[in-house]
Amino acid sequence: MPMQVQVVSPERVLWSGEAERIVTRVVDEGDIAFLPGHTTYLGQLGAGVTEIAEVGGEVIKVAVHGGFVEVSDDRVSLLSDQAELATDIDIARAQAARERAQVTLRGGDDEEAMWAAKRAETRLRATGHDEGL
């Protein structure tokens, strides 16, 4: 029996449907997988790529930048501070953002630039354009 999954950002529901498996990154625990029948769980999402294995085999990739994941009764909700489907990511823009952040970081320690680089790298990983990361 598949799980009901919903990925929500502040702007909209990014994806909703049935899935056989979800792998996502949570703060302080690393990557975690959810399968049908998983026990109740609540965790804080870290920055990373979430993979949703749809019923039928397609894998949906989502760049997630914080938020929460809740699992209960074969329902998984990812409530993200910021999230993007890999298919919606502008690769050239993400590469340019990473390059700008790296230039700023060469000039010294800059927390905002560090987070900008991490967001850009997560976007590039989601799209499969992560060579050199």
Side-chain angles (χ1 to χ4, degrees):
M1 182 165 143
M3 300 175 290
Q4 294 296 315
V5 179
Q6 198 170 54
V7 180
V8 181
S9 75
E11 297 84 30
R12 63 187 173 107
V13 174
L14 292 171
W15 191 87
S16 182
E18 293 185 335
E20 297 174 344
R21 174 183 44 85
I22 296 136
V23 178
T24 195
R25 176 147 308 157
V26 291
V27 174
D28 298 329
E29 296 180 41
D31 289 347
I32 187 168
F34 301 109
L35 300 169
H38 197 283
T39 187
T40 300
Y41 179 86
L42 179 64
Q44 185 178 358
L45 291 168
V49 178
T50 295
E51 293 185 355
I52 303 165
E54 282 186 297
V55 173
E58 186 175 343
V59 176
I60 306 297
K61 292 187 179 186
V62 185
V64 175
H65 312 285
F68 294 92
V69 59
E70 178 183 19
V71 180
S72 180
D73 299 323
D74 283 333
R75 298 178 88 61
V76 180
S77 298
L78 288 109
L79 309 168
S80 179
D81 297 336
Q82 182 182 14
E84 303 155 281
L85 292 172
T87 55
D88 293 342
I89 294 171
D90 182 332
I91 295 164
R93 185 173 172 208
Q95 289 170 330
R98 182 182 69 186
E99 289 170 14
R100 282 192 307 275
Q102 288 173 338
V103 166
T104 301
L105 288 171
R106 282 188 210 114
D109 197 21
D110 182 313
E111 190 170 333
E112 188 174 320
M114 183 180 66
W115 284 111
K118 188 164 188 69
R119 283 191 305 272
E121 289 169 0
T122 299
R123 289 179 178 114
L124 293 170
R125 281 189 179 95
T127 64
H129 288 84
D130 56 349
E131 59 279 340
L133 295 183

